[in-house]
Amino acid sequence: MEPMPDAISTDAAEPLVIMGAGLVGSLLALYLARRGHPVQVFERLPDPRQQGLLGGRSINLALSDRGWRGLAGVGVAEDIRQVGIPMYRRVMHDGQGNLTFQPYGQENQAIYSINRGSLNCTLLDLAEKEPQVQITFGQKLMQLDLPGRRLHLQDVASGHEHDVAYERLFGADGAFSAVRAALQRTDRTDYSQQYLEYGYKELTIAAGPAGEWQLEKNALHIWPRGNFLMIALPNLDGSFNATLFFPYEGDKSFAALQTPADVASFFAATFPDAVPLMPQVTEEFFDHPTGSLVTIRCFPWAYRDTVLLLGDAAHAIVPFYGQGMNAGFEDCTVLNQLLEQHGEANWDRVMDEFEHQRKPNTDAMADLALYNFVEMRDRVADPRFLLQKKIEGKISAQYPGQWVPLYSRVTFSPDTSYAEAWAAGQRQEAIMQRLMPHIQVEADYEAPEVQALVNKELSVK
Ligand SMILES: Cc1cc2nc3c(=O)[nH]c(=O)nc-3n(C[C@H](O)[C@H](O)[C@H](O)COP(=O)(O)OP(=O)(O)OC[C@H]3O[C@@H](n4cnc5c(N)ncnc54)[C@H](O)[C@@H]3O)c2cc1C
């Protein structure tokens, strides 16, 4: 018979285990250690601080207010802001290289381009500064015995397999979580995964000869092309990390671009203003892997009061709203709030409230991310859509408390939940659909009949 694990303690000194030292696992380690817990983290990959970041490639993410709040909760937001580049607006590049612009929010509101590798390394450094935190790299979770509370790990370098007992486990092991795989085998666990018929390819827009940015630095660049798009976020060294989101199959697709000549002529025809800034594009297209895009939903996220999923392990989403990591950091904020409220003697309540509070919000975020895919690849190229956004900006300025654009609710309003943001966004979109037939140019907004309609829609007396 297996030896029984030690009796479970319920105080803040209870040792906790986290699976995965990615973005969410390393931030969670900080939160739990600050609460006084000894925290043991296991990570499948080698230590990125020793290996060189992700094979030396720069990959960046957009960090916004929910993420900043998660980082501020352990006092690290300002350190990270120093290495972020604020992006105040979208810059759209059409097929002739003409530019249009769309601010993200009000003046001074920005999302931040942050290097994924350095953010992860900074969080690992900070977590390891806590004497209570121990991170062991190169340890892959192979199996999980939920009732027996035992991890079956493989030391990746030697292949040696060993067991570790835990009292409480947090699964922050990403979209293809091994912790979640064990939960999926328990009774009445729902699970779905939905792939887009699109993949993505990371490419580089080079820095200028003196390390200068060759496109507007403080912006997120978009090349919307109907059923596909390319985006680019700035790096500190003057380069941009570009990502092509592209169908796997079809006329214009990964399948259709088989040779360097195919790639060169496709880019020259499709992204004429970007190509001169992408001297390595053909090599990179074939050297860099094609990533897939998946939405994962599951429930429950907890097993009794002993295991809890967070981050992509619980709710992986497509990247088009730039919210996956932000949502994962918000998980850390919410878990910490619930621990403040109920204390570590009530893990069952904490886990129950966590999954019930977060699930509708991360489901809404998953829908929003899919919705934004269409907006980014297609609608941002439509002058009527850009006019609608300008009119929404005017309504928002005229009725500041009453009308907050959907993007701002999701990105800059961490006190509004994702589900509330999505519901309000849908209500506002319905109003815009009624209003826009009366508006042909920006100045029409001032027309008395349009003002009357807006007043009526917003029930202004
Ligand atoms: C192309 C792209 C662009 C994105 N852009 C943005 C953006 O702009 N803004 C944003 O907020 N989000 C973005 N995201 C989403 C973001 O990357 C994820 O939401 C975030 O990385 C989730 O963090 P995590 O810690 O939950 O998972 P991960 O970052 O995946 O970390 C999981 C960790 O667990 C480890 N692990 C996995 N399996 C095991 C195992 N069996 N045993 C031990 N360890 C294991 C992994 O090695 C990894 O280190 C983007 C995603 C993609 C794909």
Side-chain angles (χ1 to χ4, degrees):
M1 217 174 89
E2 290 278 306
M4 290 293 289
D6 294 338
I8 292 173
S9 58
T10 51
D11 57 46
E14 178 196 2
L16 304 172
V17 173
I18 299 174
M19 191 58 56
L23 297 171
V24 174
S26 47
L27 181 63
L28 181 65
L30 265 169
Y31 268 97
L32 296 175
R34 297 276 170 89
R35 296 189 62 79
H37 294 278
V39 181
Q40 174 137 44
V41 187
F42 293 107
E43 166 58 48
R44 176 185 59 179
L45 297 176
D47 188 340
R49 295 162 297 181
Q50 287 164 15
Q51 293 291 313
L53 302 178
L54 306 166
R57 277 201 294 136
S58 160
I59 293 178
N60 45 28
L61 300 167
L63 181 55
S64 51
D65 287 24
R66 293 172 204 272
W68 287 121
R69 179 145 86 172
L71 295 168
V74 281
V76 302
E78 285 322 306
D79 290 351
I80 288 165
R81 209 180 285 272
Q82 302 306 316
V83 291
I85 300 179
M87 300 180 287
Y88 296 101
R89 59 181 185 170
R90 288 172 170 168
V91 175
M92 274 74 71
H93 300 240
D94 77 9
Q96 285 71 49
N98 301 312
L99 305 183
T100 43
F101 308 94
Q102 192 193 342
Y104 272 124
Q106 300 180 350
E107 224 181 318
N108 295 327
Q109 274 184 325
I111 58 177
Y112 282 72
S113 175
I114 300 275
N115 183 281
R116 176 196 283 273
S118 34
L119 174 58
N120 207 160
C121 291
T122 305
L123 290 173
L124 290 170
D125 280 343
L126 291 163
E128 275 189 339
K129 270 196 198 142
E130 302 287 322
Q132 311 254 71
V133 174
Q134 193 198 341
I135 307 175
T136 318
F137 293 92
Q139 302 295 312
K140 180 176 179 185
L141 179 66
M142 307 294 284
Q143 271 175 8
L144 175 56
D145 171 3
L146 290 168
R149 284 178 291 161
R150 294 188 88 81
L151 308 171
H152 185 65
L153 296 168
Q154 182 194 54
D155 180 86
V156 177
S158 68
H160 171 73
E161 299 195 0
H162 59 113
D163 281 5
V164 173
Y166 63 87
E167 295 186 349
R168 232 166 289 281
L169 171 69
F170 297 87
D173 51 345
F176 301 99
S177 165
V179 177
R180 187 189 63 232
L183 261 69
Q184 280 171 237
R185 288 190 288 272
T186 59
D187 191 31
R188 290 191 300 130
T189 296
D190 286 331
Y191 173 75
S192 74
Q193 63 179 32
Q194 179 198 5
Y195 280 96
L196 289 187
E197 289 168 356
Y198 288 75
Y200 68 91
K201 186 77 78 178
E202 309 267 3
L203 303 165
T204 310
I205 291 179
E212 71 276 20
W213 289 270
Q214 304 205 77
L215 300 172
E216 180 179 320
K217 172 189 172 191
N218 292 108
L220 190 150
H221 295 264
I222 308 183
W223 290 259
R225 293 294 181 267
N227 76 328
F228 63 90
L229 77 155
M230 183 167 79
I231 65 168
L233 280 73
N235 293 314
L236 287 172
D237 65 2
S239 66
F240 286 78
N241 183 218
T243 311
L244 174 69
F245 296 97
F246 203 39
Y248 277 109
E249 310 285 340
D251 210 16
K252 288 181 180 165
S253 70
F254 284 114
L257 301 185
Q258 289 296 332
T259 65
D262 293 342
V263 172
S265 67
F266 167 76
F267 272 81
T270 315
F271 306 114
D273 62 335
V275 165
L277 313 177
M278 302 174 84
Q280 303 293 319
V281 66
T282 315
E283 292 82 350
E284 287 184 341
F285 192 87
F286 292 105
D287 287 352
H288 293 178
T290 305
S292 56
L293 297 163
V294 70
T295 302
I296 290 176
R297 300 172 205 250
C298 63
F299 202 77
W301 295 353
Y303 175 79
R304 299 185 183 153
D305 64 351
T306 57
V307 178
L308 184 66
L309 301 175
L310 297 97
D312 275 17
H315 47 74
I317 60 177
V318 296
F320 302 105
Y321 230 111
Q323 284 295 317
M325 161 190 64
N326 287 289
F329 286 180
E330 192 174 60
D331 287 348
C332 297
T333 307
V334 171
L335 183 67
N336 193 51
Q337 282 166 350
L338 290 170
L339 282 169
E340 288 286 297
Q341 220 176 317
H342 304 305
E344 351 290 278
N346 294 301
W347 274 111
D348 53 346
R349 187 154 179 204
V350 168
M351 290 191 185
D352 184 65
E353 284 191 23
F354 178 82
E355 62 180 5
H356 284 95
Q357 205 187 107
R358 292 302 285 154
K359 173 71 174 161
N361 288 312
T362 56
D363 277 351
M365 194 53 246
D367 292 344
L368 278 159
L370 290 163
Y371 161 89
N372 222 39
F373 183 31
V374 183
E375 177 163 323
M376 286 180 84
R377 71 175 199 233
D378 198 8
R379 294 182 78 200
V380 291
D382 175 359
R384 286 290 295 167
F385 174 79
L386 295 178
L387 177 62
Q388 178 178 325
K389 291 291 149 191
K390 280 192 183 148
I391 300 299
E392 284 188 56
K394 286 176 182 291
I395 303 177
S396 175
Q398 195 174 351
Y399 304 102
Q402 259 179 290
W403 189 287
V404 180
L406 172 59
Y407 190 86
S408 297
R409 287 185 200 263
V410 171
T411 309
F412 302 124
S413 316
D415 291 331
T416 303
S417 71
Y418 285 130
E420 286 164 0
W422 189 208
Q426 286 170 304
R427 279 197 304 276
Q428 289 179 179
E429 179 61 24
I431 294 176
M432 292 312 293
Q433 292 305 318
R434 293 192 285 274
L435 212 55
M436 286 308 287
H438 303 272
I439 297 176
Q440 301 316 315
V441 292
E442 213 175 321
D444 289 348
Y445 181 70
E446 313 303 337
E449 64 275 20
V450 172
Q451 284 291 307
L453 271 173
V454 175
N455 286 347
K456 192 172 145 225
E457 291 284 5
L458 297 183
S459 308
V460 178
K461 298 279 179 285

